[in-house]
Amino acid sequence: MEVALMTIDLRGLVPAPVTPFNRDGSVDVDSIHRLGSWLASVDGVKGLVVLGHAGEGTFLTQDEQALVIREFKNAVNGEIPIIAGITGEGNTVAALEAQRAVEAGASAGLVYPSHGWLRFGYQQGAPQTRYKEIYETSGLPLILFQYPDATKATYDLDTQLEIAGQEGVFATKNGVRNMKRWDTEIPVLRKTYPDLQILTCHDEYLLHTMFDVDGALVGYGGLAPEPLVELIAAGKAKDYAAARAIHDRILPVTKNVYHRGSHMEGTVALKEGLVARGILEHATVRPPLLPLPAGADKEIAAALQSAELGKVAVSV
């Protein structure tokens, strides 16, 4: 079973939305519909990535993962693609996960590295086999995910080039968070594969990376899509002054969401921000995530206000 390959255009903003929960911890379908329909209504949003870090994807059961894919697809009326995070540890486990994602309605998959590699590193050639088996089993078009340089799951340039050249791989989400590597490796990827869609996922370093990419695949887009669409446009126009002005306007939000002790706290902060914007009623997360310290919700709401990101009206 093969989904339409290479016809997915993610050149713009691709938010990675949170997964809303009810207060009892179950998946909140009504809030998925509010969140998804709002994001899809923003001009410049080209797709949604669900079941990622921001979406607490690895905290969900298989049935819940399928539910989230289906309901986000319903929320956007099939008008933009739903991309599923593929996170299973082994090749076969991940391939079967991708197969279930196709059955649930996903148009593409964002392939996470096998998580054992974060601690122990990977054998040369192993990441390539992961993408190959996932695609051959599921037919799901795939996005190469480059992890931060600080981890042992970051791919060297040769590995990235080999994966990008494999059948089924049409884009890369790069979050290397090492600007020396970014400045030297992204041009090589661009030159070698001109049709490869290059997307930044540097939520906290968007200004630096915005001038070299086709778009942004970021959790941040699930909270503040409007200025990020403008930032992408400024980057493509090589208009540094405009991009800097947008960056500075949203910097208080960036600091309150992403300049925290752990990047995982950003998921909780995104939910608090969506409460402030009127999309969610509360910021319930699943353990091991914890609520933010007292007062953080007010700080996030104030930052959004200062960035002129107020409540949104959503009718579903």
Side-chain angles (χ1 to χ4, degrees):
M1 174 166 46
E2 183 168 344
V3 209
L5 178 61
M6 306 308 178
T7 59
I8 301 171
D9 179 9
L10 302 181
R11 297 174 180 88
L13 179 63
V14 185
V18 301
T19 298
F21 297 118
N22 295 303
R23 292 189 186 275
D24 65 3
S26 60
V27 173
D28 183 350
V29 171
D30 289 343
S31 291
I32 284 178
H33 289 179
R34 284 198 303 275
L35 177 57
S37 63
W38 167 54
L39 292 173
S41 75
V42 177
D43 190 26
V45 168
K46 305 303 287 288
L48 301 180
V49 172
V50 303
L51 306 179
H53 289 132
E56 300 173 69
T58 56
F59 303 169
L60 304 178
T61 67
Q62 291 182 5
D63 287 345
E64 288 173 329
Q65 289 172 343
L67 173 66
V68 167
I69 294 169
R70 284 197 305 270
E71 295 304 336
F72 267 108
K73 184 167 186 176
N74 289 337
V76 305
N77 293 317
E79 294 175 1
I80 57 175
I82 301 300
I83 298 115
I86 306 300
T87 59
E89 180 73 355
N91 287 9
T92 301
V93 172
L96 293 174
E97 181 183 3
Q99 198 169 53
R100 292 192 300 272
V102 171
E103 292 165 357
S107 297
L110 172 65
V111 180
Y112 286 65
S114 189
H115 284 77
W117 297 343
L118 286 165
R119 179 179 178 189
F120 299 111
Y122 58 89
Q123 296 167 285
Q124 287 297 322
Q128 293 89 319
T129 70
R130 182 168 172 81
Y131 284 79
K132 183 174 187 290
E133 183 167 346
I134 291 171
Y135 181 67
E136 288 181 348
T137 298
S138 68
L140 193 63
L142 302 177
I143 300 172
L144 162 61
F145 193 173
Q146 170 68 322
Y147 258 40
D149 182 64
T151 74
K152 292 184 179 181
T154 192
Y155 300 141
D156 58 38
L157 179 57
D158 286 343
T159 299
Q160 292 176 73
L161 289 168
E162 289 180 16
I163 294 172
Q166 288 185 194
E167 184 181 9
V169 177
F170 74 101
T172 182
K173 166 182 173 171
N174 189 297
V176 70
R177 287 171 170 80
N178 174 330
M179 294 304 106
K180 180 174 70 174
R181 288 190 62 190
W182 174 274
D183 290 339
T184 55
E185 295 178 3
I186 292 298
V188 177
L189 281 164
R190 177 74 76 194
K191 182 177 180 181
T192 308
Y193 300 109
D195 294 331
L196 183 73
Q197 297 176 44
I198 297 177
L199 309 171
T200 180
C201 72
H202 293 81
D203 301 83
E204 68 275 51
Y205 300 119
L206 288 175
L207 182 64
H208 181 99
T209 60
M210 197 52 67
F211 298 92
D212 305 305
V213 295
D214 298 301
L217 195 170
V218 284
Y220 205 166
L223 172 63
E226 308 97 331
L228 294 190
V229 166
E230 295 176 18
L231 185 57
I232 291 167
K236 289 183 177 181
K238 300 294 188 274
D239 187 341
Y240 179 81
R244 182 78 208 199
I246 297 163
H247 167 273
D248 291 351
R249 174 161 65 89
I250 65 174
L251 184 58
V253 182
T254 309
K255 291 169 68 174
N256 272 278
V257 174
Y258 289 108
H259 295 182
R260 293 187 171 272
S262 161
H263 194 78
M264 288 302 293
E265 290 180 73
T267 296
V268 196
L270 287 170
K271 288 190 171 182
E272 292 288 7
L274 287 166
V275 172
R277 298 211 69 184
I279 301 294
L280 300 184
E281 294 179 359
H282 49 85
T284 300
V285 291
R286 279 194 174 171
L289 285 179
L290 300 171
L292 298 180
D297 57 339
K298 294 181 176 57
E299 293 170 358
I300 293 167
L304 287 163
Q305 193 72 25
S306 74
E308 301 173 2
L309 293 170
K311 289 188 181 293
V312 293
V314 183
S315 57
V316 291

